[in-house]
Amino acid sequence: RVRDYEERMKSLGVTYLSMGCSDMDSVFYGYRKQDLITFGGKAGQGKSWLLVYLTFLLEKVIREKSELTGDTFGDILFITNEMGEEEIKERIDCLKFGLSYERFLKGTLTEREKKRYYRGLEELKKERSKIRIVYSCQTIDELSTLMGLYQPCAVFIDGSYLMEGKMQEGWEKIVYITRNLKRLAKNFKTPIINTTQLKRGAGKSG
């Protein structure tokens, strides 16, 4: 415990993985092994972009930490229930290679951006991304299987409210999913970060 506390002093409270941003680390103390972090909000508020950005930051963190300490980390598991796999890859590419997302979508990247993009993709052949994208995860049991299979260092779920589709929509469903996500985070000792849309409950005043 003495050794653990001395490590905590060096890392300013981060006991597992930094979030890649000192301001967020000062609030959350990085990602802890049994964390469940949920971002809730209405549609179109940028939750998916935030999740992609946090994933991008974490990949940089684990690469740097591996180089410094020699420690090995599992991949980052990114589950997209809302957007397509290619859309997630495109957003990550734009962050990773410093590209304008709007120009990327229009196919009007500058010559400098295009060269940087192509060069970055070539480099991925030599050192693959640490982000493993899964197109869909419908149930808690399926998520448990994926975590057991890949042994990730962290799990990001875009649109956790879309899981358990057989349940009636409402806050009760979100509570059920959230409780089970926390249980998985504790059982696998792996942080889970997810987004959800805030829905009304079954009752009129829910």
mmCIF file of all heavy atoms in Angstrom, residues 118-163:
data_model
loop_
_atom_site.group_PDB
_atom_site.id
_atom_site.type_symbol
_atom_site.label_atom_id
_atom_site.label_comp_id
_atom_site.label_asym_id
_atom_site.label_seq_id
_atom_site.Cartn_x
_atom_site.Cartn_y
_atom_site.Cartn_z
ATOM 1 N N TYR A 118 -2.624 9.949 -46.456
ATOM 2 C CA TYR A 118 -2.122 8.743 -47.111
ATOM 3 C C TYR A 118 -0.888 8.190 -46.400
ATOM 4 O O TYR A 118 -0.730 6.977 -46.255
ATOM 5 C CB TYR A 118 -1.786 9.036 -48.573
ATOM 6 C CG TYR A 118 -2.995 9.301 -49.456
ATOM 7 C CD1 TYR A 118 -2.843 9.701 -50.777
ATOM 8 C CD2 TYR A 118 -4.296 9.167 -48.968
ATOM 9 C CE1 TYR A 118 -3.947 9.941 -51.589
ATOM 10 C CE2 TYR A 118 -5.398 9.417 -49.765
ATOM 11 C CZ TYR A 118 -5.221 9.806 -51.080
ATOM 12 O OH TYR A 118 -6.306 10.044 -51.875
ATOM 13 N N ARG A 119 -0.006 9.105 -45.970
ATOM 14 C CA ARG A 119 1.207 8.674 -45.258
ATOM 15 C C ARG A 119 0.838 8.009 -43.935
ATOM 16 O O ARG A 119 1.411 6.990 -43.552
ATOM 17 C CB ARG A 119 2.120 9.872 -45.023
ATOM 18 C CG ARG A 119 3.488 9.505 -44.449
ATOM 19 C CD ARG A 119 4.441 10.693 -44.471
ATOM 20 N NE ARG A 119 3.945 11.834 -43.714
ATOM 21 C CZ ARG A 119 3.562 12.989 -44.258
ATOM 22 N NH1 ARG A 119 3.616 13.163 -45.580
ATOM 23 N NH2 ARG A 119 3.128 13.982 -43.511
ATOM 24 N N GLY A 120 -0.141 8.574 -43.245
ATOM 25 C CA GLY A 120 -0.598 8.003 -41.978
ATOM 26 C C GLY A 120 -1.194 6.618 -42.152
ATOM 27 O O GLY A 120 -0.954 5.722 -41.339
ATOM 28 N N LEU A 121 -1.953 6.424 -43.228
ATOM 29 C CA LEU A 121 -2.544 5.117 -43.487
ATOM 30 C C LEU A 121 -1.467 4.082 -43.802
ATOM 31 O O LEU A 121 -1.582 2.917 -43.401
ATOM 32 C CB LEU A 121 -3.548 5.207 -44.648
ATOM 33 C CG LEU A 121 -4.831 6.007 -44.367
ATOM 34 C CD1 LEU A 121 -5.707 6.058 -45.604
ATOM 35 C CD2 LEU A 121 -5.611 5.435 -43.192
ATOM 36 N N GLU A 122 -0.421 4.492 -44.508
ATOM 37 C CA GLU A 122 0.692 3.575 -44.788
ATOM 38 C C GLU A 122 1.380 3.144 -43.491
ATOM 39 O O GLU A 122 1.759 1.987 -43.331
ATOM 40 C CB GLU A 122 1.700 4.238 -45.723
ATOM 41 C CG GLU A 122 1.282 4.252 -47.182
ATOM 42 C CD GLU A 122 1.124 2.858 -47.764
ATOM 43 O OE1 GLU A 122 1.991 2.001 -47.500
ATOM 44 O OE2 GLU A 122 0.126 2.621 -48.479
ATOM 45 N N GLU A 123 1.527 4.096 -42.566
ATOM 46 C CA GLU A 123 2.188 3.782 -41.294
ATOM 47 C C GLU A 123 1.364 2.807 -40.460
ATOM 48 O O GLU A 123 1.913 2.038 -39.668
ATOM 49 C CB GLU A 123 2.448 5.070 -40.505
ATOM 50 C CG GLU A 123 3.533 5.942 -41.136
ATOM 51 C CD GLU A 123 3.657 7.298 -40.473
ATOM 52 O OE1 GLU A 123 2.870 7.573 -39.524
ATOM 53 O OE2 GLU A 123 4.514 8.094 -40.901
ATOM 54 N N LEU A 124 0.042 2.832 -40.643
ATOM 55 C CA LEU A 124 -0.820 1.894 -39.907
ATOM 56 C C LEU A 124 -0.560 0.449 -40.318
ATOM 57 O O LEU A 124 -0.847 -0.474 -39.563
ATOM 58 C CB LEU A 124 -2.296 2.238 -40.135
ATOM 59 C CG LEU A 124 -2.883 3.370 -39.293
ATOM 60 C CD1 LEU A 124 -4.325 3.645 -39.703
ATOM 61 C CD2 LEU A 124 -2.803 3.060 -37.812
ATOM 62 N N LYS A 125 -0.034 0.248 -41.524
ATOM 63 C CA LYS A 125 0.293 -1.114 -41.953
ATOM 64 C C LYS A 125 1.431 -1.682 -41.112
ATOM 65 O O LYS A 125 1.512 -2.883 -40.880
ATOM 66 C CB LYS A 125 0.688 -1.117 -43.429
ATOM 67 C CG LYS A 125 -0.446 -0.787 -44.375
ATOM 68 C CD LYS A 125 0.064 -0.794 -45.821
ATOM 69 C CE LYS A 125 -1.044 -0.456 -46.797
ATOM 70 N NZ LYS A 125 -0.542 -0.416 -48.199
ATOM 71 N N LYS A 126 2.346 -0.802 -40.666
ATOM 72 C CA LYS A 126 3.493 -1.246 -39.876
ATOM 73 C C LYS A 126 3.116 -1.388 -38.401
ATOM 74 O O LYS A 126 3.569 -2.295 -37.710
ATOM 75 C CB LYS A 126 4.641 -0.245 -40.012
ATOM 76 C CG LYS A 126 5.091 -0.001 -41.441
ATOM 77 C CD LYS A 126 6.077 1.155 -41.507
ATOM 78 C CE LYS A 126 6.368 1.548 -42.948
ATOM 79 N NZ LYS A 126 7.186 2.775 -43.025
ATOM 80 N N GLU A 127 2.323 -0.479 -37.915
ATOM 81 C CA GLU A 127 1.903 -0.509 -36.501
ATOM 82 C C GLU A 127 0.410 -0.258 -36.433
ATOM 83 O O GLU A 127 -0.042 0.874 -36.514
ATOM 84 C CB GLU A 127 2.663 0.551 -35.689
ATOM 85 C CG GLU A 127 2.414 0.451 -34.207
ATOM 86 C CD GLU A 127 3.234 1.469 -33.420
ATOM 87 O OE1 GLU A 127 3.679 2.464 -33.994
ATOM 88 O OE2 GLU A 127 3.417 1.242 -32.211
ATOM 89 N N ARG A 128 -0.358 -1.314 -36.287
ATOM 90 C CA ARG A 128 -1.808 -1.198 -36.359
ATOM 91 C C ARG A 128 -2.374 -0.408 -35.188
ATOM 92 O O ARG A 128 -1.758 -0.277 -34.132
ATOM 93 C CB ARG A 128 -2.450 -2.591 -36.409
ATOM 94 C CG ARG A 128 -2.361 -3.376 -35.118
ATOM 95 C CD ARG A 128 -3.167 -4.676 -35.197
ATOM 96 N NE ARG A 128 -3.169 -5.403 -33.953
ATOM 97 C CZ ARG A 128 -3.986 -5.112 -32.939
ATOM 98 N NH1 ARG A 128 -4.838 -4.135 -33.030
ATOM 99 N NH2 ARG A 128 -3.941 -5.821 -31.819
ATOM 100 N N SER A 129 -3.570 0.074 -35.387
ATOM 101 C CA SER A 129 -4.260 0.834 -34.346
ATOM 102 C C SER A 129 -4.552 -0.055 -33.140
ATOM 103 O O SER A 129 -4.763 -1.259 -33.267
ATOM 104 C CB SER A 129 -5.576 1.386 -34.905
ATOM 105 O OG SER A 129 -6.371 1.946 -33.880
ATOM 106 N N LYS A 130 -4.562 0.555 -31.960
ATOM 107 C CA LYS A 130 -4.933 -0.166 -30.730
ATOM 108 C C LYS A 130 -6.442 -0.115 -30.483
ATOM 109 O O LYS A 130 -6.931 -0.610 -29.479
ATOM 110 C CB LYS A 130 -4.201 0.449 -29.531
ATOM 111 C CG LYS A 130 -2.693 0.258 -29.534
ATOM 112 C CD LYS A 130 -2.291 -1.171 -29.251
ATOM 113 C CE LYS A 130 -2.558 -1.556 -27.811
ATOM 114 N NZ LYS A 130 -2.155 -2.968 -27.539
ATOM 115 N N ILE A 131 -7.169 0.495 -31.416
ATOM 116 C CA ILE A 131 -8.620 0.623 -31.263
ATOM 117 C C ILE A 131 -9.298 -0.481 -32.066
ATOM 118 O O ILE A 131 -9.145 -0.559 -33.281
ATOM 119 C CB ILE A 131 -9.107 2.001 -31.738
ATOM 120 C CG1 ILE A 131 -8.405 3.114 -30.960
ATOM 121 C CG2 ILE A 131 -10.622 2.121 -31.577
ATOM 122 C CD1 ILE A 131 -8.623 4.498 -31.544
ATOM 123 N N ARG A 132 -10.034 -1.334 -31.391
ATOM 124 C CA ARG A 132 -10.746 -2.436 -32.059
ATOM 125 C C ARG A 132 -12.232 -2.068 -32.093
ATOM 126 O O ARG A 132 -12.890 -1.958 -31.054
ATOM 127 C CB ARG A 132 -10.542 -3.743 -31.291
ATOM 128 C CG ARG A 132 -11.169 -4.956 -31.969
ATOM 129 C CD ARG A 132 -10.926 -6.216 -31.179
ATOM 130 N NE ARG A 132 -9.538 -6.607 -31.197
ATOM 131 C CZ ARG A 132 -9.000 -7.403 -32.129
ATOM 132 N NH1 ARG A 132 -9.754 -7.861 -33.111
ATOM 133 N NH2 ARG A 132 -7.736 -7.744 -32.056
ATOM 134 N N ILE A 133 -12.751 -1.876 -33.295
ATOM 135 C CA ILE A 133 -14.131 -1.421 -33.457
ATOM 136 C C ILE A 133 -15.059 -2.614 -33.673
ATOM 137 O O ILE A 133 -14.795 -3.466 -34.522
ATOM 138 C CB ILE A 133 -14.252 -0.439 -34.641
ATOM 139 C CG1 ILE A 133 -13.351 0.781 -34.413
ATOM 140 C CG2 ILE A 133 -15.696 0.017 -34.821
ATOM 141 C CD1 ILE A 133 -13.273 1.716 -35.599
ATOM 142 N N VAL A 134 -16.125 -2.651 -32.882
ATOM 143 C CA VAL A 134 -17.164 -3.678 -33.038
ATOM 144 C C VAL A 134 -18.436 -2.967 -33.467
ATOM 145 O O VAL A 134 -18.881 -2.011 -32.824
ATOM 146 C CB VAL A 134 -17.392 -4.452 -31.716
ATOM 147 C CG1 VAL A 134 -18.559 -5.424 -31.858
ATOM 148 C CG2 VAL A 134 -16.126 -5.201 -31.314
ATOM 149 N N TYR A 135 -19.004 -3.435 -34.586
ATOM 150 C CA TYR A 135 -20.114 -2.712 -35.211
ATOM 151 C C TYR A 135 -21.371 -2.670 -34.345
ATOM 152 O O TYR A 135 -22.100 -1.693 -34.345
ATOM 153 C CB TYR A 135 -20.437 -3.343 -36.570
ATOM 154 C CG TYR A 135 -21.607 -2.706 -37.267
ATOM 155 C CD1 TYR A 135 -21.547 -1.389 -37.706
ATOM 156 C CD2 TYR A 135 -22.801 -3.412 -37.453
ATOM 157 C CE1 TYR A 135 -22.625 -0.804 -38.328
ATOM 158 C CE2 TYR A 135 -23.882 -2.833 -38.080
ATOM 159 C CZ TYR A 135 -23.789 -1.520 -38.522
ATOM 160 O OH TYR A 135 -24.869 -0.944 -39.133
ATOM 161 N N SER A 136 -21.636 -3.716 -33.581
ATOM 162 C CA SER A 136 -22.883 -3.754 -32.813
ATOM 163 C C SER A 136 -22.749 -4.684 -31.619
ATOM 164 O O SER A 136 -22.038 -5.683 -31.681
ATOM 165 C CB SER A 136 -24.032 -4.226 -33.720
ATOM 166 O OG SER A 136 -25.235 -4.354 -32.994
ATOM 167 N N CYS A 137 -23.424 -4.328 -30.534
ATOM 168 C CA CYS A 137 -23.501 -5.194 -29.357
ATOM 169 C C CYS A 137 -24.901 -5.027 -28.785
ATOM 170 O O CYS A 137 -25.235 -3.956 -28.276
ATOM 171 C CB CYS A 137 -22.425 -4.803 -28.345
ATOM 172 S SG CYS A 137 -22.447 -5.805 -26.844
ATOM 173 N N GLN A 138 -25.705 -6.075 -28.867
ATOM 174 C CA GLN A 138 -27.130 -5.945 -28.577
ATOM 175 C C GLN A 138 -27.512 -6.224 -27.129
ATOM 176 O O GLN A 138 -28.535 -5.740 -26.657
ATOM 177 C CB GLN A 138 -27.928 -6.874 -29.500
ATOM 178 C CG GLN A 138 -27.764 -6.546 -30.972
ATOM 179 C CD GLN A 138 -28.225 -5.144 -31.317
ATOM 180 O OE1 GLN A 138 -29.289 -4.715 -30.878
ATOM 181 N NE2 GLN A 138 -27.426 -4.421 -32.078
ATOM 182 N N THR A 139 -26.706 -7.017 -26.432
ATOM 183 C CA THR A 139 -27.099 -7.410 -25.077
ATOM 184 C C THR A 139 -25.913 -7.336 -24.119
ATOM 185 O O THR A 139 -24.753 -7.313 -24.538
ATOM 186 C CB THR A 139 -27.643 -8.863 -25.054
ATOM 187 O OG1 THR A 139 -26.581 -9.766 -25.400
ATOM 188 C CG2 THR A 139 -28.806 -9.034 -26.023
ATOM 189 N N ILE A 140 -26.212 -7.349 -22.835
ATOM 190 C CA ILE A 140 -25.183 -7.372 -21.803
ATOM 191 C C ILE A 140 -24.378 -8.668 -21.904
ATOM 192 O O ILE A 140 -23.143 -8.665 -21.754
ATOM 193 C CB ILE A 140 -25.816 -7.238 -20.407
ATOM 194 C CG1 ILE A 140 -26.457 -5.845 -20.234
ATOM 195 C CG2 ILE A 140 -24.773 -7.478 -19.324
ATOM 196 C CD1 ILE A 140 -25.482 -4.684 -20.263
ATOM 197 N N ASP A 141 -25.055 -9.783 -22.168
ATOM 198 C CA ASP A 141 -24.357 -11.067 -22.292
ATOM 199 C C ASP A 141 -23.371 -11.034 -23.457
ATOM 200 O O ASP A 141 -22.259 -11.571 -23.356
ATOM 201 C CB ASP A 141 -25.361 -12.200 -22.502
ATOM 202 C CG ASP A 141 -26.122 -12.535 -21.231
ATOM 203 O OD1 ASP A 141 -25.658 -12.135 -20.148
ATOM 204 O OD2 ASP A 141 -27.190 -13.182 -21.329
ATOM 205 N N GLU A 142 -23.759 -10.413 -24.553
ATOM 206 C CA GLU A 142 -22.863 -10.297 -25.714
ATOM 207 C C GLU A 142 -21.644 -9.448 -25.357
ATOM 208 O O GLU A 142 -20.522 -9.770 -25.744
ATOM 209 C CB GLU A 142 -23.622 -9.684 -26.889
ATOM 210 C CG GLU A 142 -22.839 -9.689 -28.188
ATOM 211 C CD GLU A 142 -23.630 -9.095 -29.344
ATOM 212 O OE1 GLU A 142 -24.866 -8.939 -29.216
ATOM 213 O OE2 GLU A 142 -23.007 -8.775 -30.374
ATOM 214 N N LEU A 143 -21.857 -8.372 -24.616
ATOM 215 C CA LEU A 143 -20.742 -7.532 -24.187
ATOM 216 C C LEU A 143 -19.791 -8.309 -23.286
ATOM 217 O O LEU A 143 -18.567 -8.207 -23.418
ATOM 218 C CB LEU A 143 -21.270 -6.293 -23.460
ATOM 219 C CG LEU A 143 -20.202 -5.362 -22.875
ATOM 220 C CD1 LEU A 143 -19.258 -4.849 -23.954
ATOM 221 C CD2 LEU A 143 -20.857 -4.198 -22.130
ATOM 222 N N SER A 144 -20.349 -9.094 -22.381
ATOM 223 C CA SER A 144 -19.520 -9.907 -21.494
ATOM 224 C C SER A 144 -18.646 -10.862 -22.299
ATOM 225 O O SER A 144 -17.456 -11.043 -22.004
ATOM 226 C CB SER A 144 -20.414 -10.694 -20.524
ATOM 227 O OG SER A 144 -19.641 -11.511 -19.684
ATOM 228 N N THR A 145 -19.218 -11.454 -23.347
ATOM 229 C CA THR A 145 -18.462 -12.368 -24.219
ATOM 230 C C THR A 145 -17.331 -11.626 -24.929
ATOM 231 O O THR A 145 -16.195 -12.116 -25.010
ATOM 232 C CB THR A 145 -19.400 -13.017 -25.259
ATOM 233 O OG1 THR A 145 -20.413 -13.751 -24.572
ATOM 234 C CG2 THR A 145 -18.621 -13.939 -26.179
ATOM 235 N N LEU A 146 -17.617 -10.429 -25.446
ATOM 236 C CA LEU A 146 -16.608 -9.637 -26.157
ATOM 237 C C LEU A 146 -15.460 -9.244 -25.229
ATOM 238 O O LEU A 146 -14.286 -9.302 -25.613
ATOM 239 C CB LEU A 146 -17.248 -8.382 -26.756
ATOM 240 C CG LEU A 146 -18.193 -8.593 -27.938
ATOM 241 C CD1 LEU A 146 -18.933 -7.301 -28.264
ATOM 242 C CD2 LEU A 146 -17.421 -9.075 -29.156
ATOM 243 N N MET A 147 -15.800 -8.865 -24.000
ATOM 244 C CA MET A 147 -14.761 -8.476 -23.043
ATOM 245 C C MET A 147 -13.898 -9.676 -22.666
ATOM 246 O O MET A 147 -12.680 -9.559 -22.505
ATOM 247 C CB MET A 147 -15.394 -7.836 -21.815
ATOM 248 C CG MET A 147 -16.026 -6.472 -22.103
ATOM 249 S SD MET A 147 -16.863 -5.721 -20.674
ATOM 250 C CE MET A 147 -15.458 -5.302 -19.627
ATOM 251 N N GLY A 148 -14.529 -10.830 -22.528
ATOM 252 C CA GLY A 148 -13.760 -12.035 -22.233
ATOM 253 C C GLY A 148 -12.863 -12.441 -23.381
ATOM 254 O O GLY A 148 -11.745 -12.925 -23.178
ATOM 255 N N LEU A 149 -13.334 -12.209 -24.608
ATOM 256 C CA LEU A 149 -12.588 -12.599 -25.802
ATOM 257 C C LEU A 149 -11.383 -11.692 -26.041
ATOM 258 O O LEU A 149 -10.270 -12.169 -26.288
ATOM 259 C CB LEU A 149 -13.522 -12.566 -27.018
ATOM 260 C CG LEU A 149 -12.913 -12.927 -28.373
ATOM 261 C CD1 LEU A 149 -12.433 -14.371 -28.387
ATOM 262 C CD2 LEU A 149 -13.939 -12.689 -29.482
ATOM 263 N N TYR A 150 -11.592 -10.375 -25.946
ATOM 264 C CA TYR A 150 -10.539 -9.423 -26.319
ATOM 265 C C TYR A 150 -9.696 -8.942 -25.150
ATOM 266 O O TYR A 150 -8.609 -8.402 -25.351
ATOM 267 C CB TYR A 150 -11.160 -8.213 -27.034
ATOM 268 C CG TYR A 150 -11.801 -8.563 -28.357
ATOM 269 C CD1 TYR A 150 -13.151 -8.298 -28.590
ATOM 270 C CD2 TYR A 150 -11.064 -9.170 -29.360
ATOM 271 C CE1 TYR A 150 -13.742 -8.615 -29.792
ATOM 272 C CE2 TYR A 150 -11.645 -9.495 -30.581
ATOM 273 C CZ TYR A 150 -12.987 -9.210 -30.796
ATOM 274 O OH TYR A 150 -13.571 -9.529 -31.995
ATOM 275 N N GLN A 151 -10.182 -9.097 -23.919
ATOM 276 C CA GLN A 151 -9.454 -8.626 -22.734
ATOM 277 C C GLN A 151 -8.967 -7.184 -22.928
ATOM 278 O O GLN A 151 -7.767 -6.890 -22.861
ATOM 279 C CB GLN A 151 -8.268 -9.545 -22.449
ATOM 280 C CG GLN A 151 -8.642 -10.982 -22.103
ATOM 281 C CD GLN A 151 -9.393 -11.088 -20.778
ATOM 282 O OE1 GLN A 151 -8.947 -10.563 -19.757
ATOM 283 N NE2 GLN A 151 -10.530 -11.756 -20.786
ATOM 284 N N PRO A 152 -9.880 -6.248 -23.183
ATOM 285 C CA PRO A 152 -9.469 -4.876 -23.496
ATOM 286 C C PRO A 152 -8.972 -4.125 -22.258
ATOM 287 O O PRO A 152 -9.276 -4.503 -21.120
ATOM 288 C CB PRO A 152 -10.763 -4.245 -24.015
ATOM 289 C CG PRO A 152 -11.850 -5.000 -23.298
ATOM 290 C CD PRO A 152 -11.343 -6.406 -23.168
ATOM 291 N N CYS A 153 -8.215 -3.040 -22.489
ATOM 292 C CA CYS A 153 -7.792 -2.186 -21.370
ATOM 293 C C CYS A 153 -8.898 -1.203 -21.005
ATOM 294 O O CYS A 153 -8.915 -0.663 -19.894
ATOM 295 C CB CYS A 153 -6.496 -1.450 -21.716
ATOM 296 S SG CYS A 153 -6.653 -0.247 -23.058
ATOM 297 N N ALA A 154 -9.826 -0.947 -21.929
ATOM 298 C CA ALA A 154 -10.970 -0.074 -21.675
ATOM 299 C C ALA A 154 -12.030 -0.355 -22.728
ATOM 300 O O ALA A 154 -11.716 -0.825 -23.823
ATOM 301 C CB ALA A 154 -10.568 1.400 -21.715
ATOM 302 N N VAL A 155 -13.290 -0.067 -22.381
ATOM 303 C CA VAL A 155 -14.402 -0.292 -23.301
ATOM 304 C C VAL A 155 -15.173 1.011 -23.485
ATOM 305 O O VAL A 155 -15.536 1.659 -22.501
ATOM 306 C CB VAL A 155 -15.361 -1.383 -22.768
ATOM 307 C CG1 VAL A 155 -16.534 -1.579 -23.729
ATOM 308 C CG2 VAL A 155 -14.633 -2.696 -22.549
ATOM 309 N N PHE A 156 -15.406 1.383 -24.740
ATOM 310 C CA PHE A 156 -16.229 2.545 -25.065
ATOM 311 C C PHE A 156 -17.465 2.053 -25.809
ATOM 312 O O PHE A 156 -17.347 1.293 -26.776
ATOM 313 C CB PHE A 156 -15.455 3.532 -25.943
ATOM 314 C CG PHE A 156 -14.339 4.242 -25.228
ATOM 315 C CD1 PHE A 156 -13.109 3.612 -25.062
ATOM 316 C CD2 PHE A 156 -14.505 5.512 -24.719
ATOM 317 C CE1 PHE A 156 -12.072 4.244 -24.400
ATOM 318 C CE2 PHE A 156 -13.476 6.161 -24.053
ATOM 319 C CZ PHE A 156 -12.258 5.528 -23.892
ATOM 320 N N ILE A 157 -18.640 2.465 -25.353
ATOM 321 C CA ILE A 157 -19.898 2.028 -25.975
ATOM 322 C C ILE A 157 -20.671 3.264 -26.419
ATOM 323 O O ILE A 157 -21.118 4.056 -25.582
ATOM 324 C CB ILE A 157 -20.768 1.208 -25.007
ATOM 325 C CG1 ILE A 157 -19.981 0.046 -24.410
ATOM 326 C CG2 ILE A 157 -22.010 0.685 -25.733
ATOM 327 C CD1 ILE A 157 -20.720 -0.696 -23.308
ATOM 328 N N ASP A 158 -20.824 3.430 -27.715
ATOM 329 C CA ASP A 158 -21.594 4.551 -28.249
ATOM 330 C C ASP A 158 -23.044 4.105 -28.413
ATOM 331 O O ASP A 158 -23.356 3.304 -29.285
ATOM 332 C CB ASP A 158 -21.003 4.984 -29.598
ATOM 333 C CG ASP A 158 -21.687 6.226 -30.140
ATOM 334 O OD1 ASP A 158 -22.097 7.065 -29.330
ATOM 335 O OD2 ASP A 158 -21.809 6.341 -31.373
ATOM 336 N N GLY A 159 -23.907 4.613 -27.538
ATOM 337 C CA GLY A 159 -25.325 4.273 -27.622
ATOM 338 C C GLY A 159 -25.702 3.046 -26.817
ATOM 339 O O GLY A 159 -26.329 2.119 -27.346
ATOM 340 N N SER A 160 -25.341 3.039 -25.534
ATOM 341 C CA SER A 160 -25.675 1.877 -24.700
ATOM 342 C C SER A 160 -27.183 1.711 -24.533
ATOM 343 O O SER A 160 -27.671 0.606 -24.279
ATOM 344 C CB SER A 160 -25.009 2.003 -23.324
ATOM 345 O OG SER A 160 -25.470 3.160 -22.643
ATOM 346 N N TYR A 161 -27.954 2.800 -24.716
ATOM 347 C CA TYR A 161 -29.406 2.720 -24.550
ATOM 348 C C TYR A 161 -30.054 1.844 -25.632
ATOM 349 O O TYR A 161 -31.209 1.429 -25.500
ATOM 350 C CB TYR A 161 -30.022 4.127 -24.587
ATOM 351 C CG TYR A 161 -29.976 4.791 -25.946
ATOM 352 C CD1 TYR A 161 -31.078 4.767 -26.791
ATOM 353 C CD2 TYR A 161 -28.821 5.415 -26.388
ATOM 354 C CE1 TYR A 161 -31.032 5.359 -28.037
ATOM 355 C CE2 TYR A 161 -28.768 6.011 -27.623
ATOM 356 C CZ TYR A 161 -29.870 5.982 -28.445
ATOM 357 O OH TYR A 161 -29.807 6.575 -29.684
ATOM 358 N N LEU A 162 -29.305 1.562 -26.718
ATOM 359 C CA LEU A 162 -29.840 0.710 -27.784
ATOM 360 C C LEU A 162 -29.671 -0.775 -27.486
ATOM 361 O O LEU A 162 -30.158 -1.620 -28.233
ATOM 362 C CB LEU A 162 -29.159 1.057 -29.116
ATOM 363 C CG LEU A 162 -29.498 2.446 -29.673
ATOM 364 C CD1 LEU A 162 -28.603 2.779 -30.855
ATOM 365 C CD2 LEU A 162 -30.967 2.532 -30.058
ATOM 366 N N MET A 163 -28.962 -1.093 -26.405
ATOM 367 C CA MET A 163 -28.831 -2.498 -26.010
ATOM 368 C C MET A 163 -30.145 -2.984 -25.396
ATOM 369 O O MET A 163 -30.994 -2.180 -25.031
ATOM 370 C CB MET A 163 -27.679 -2.647 -25.007
ATOM 371 C CG MET A 163 -26.322 -2.254 -25.564
ATOM 372 S SD MET A 163 -25.010 -2.211 -24.319
ATOM 373 C CE MET A 163 -24.773 -3.973 -24.032
#
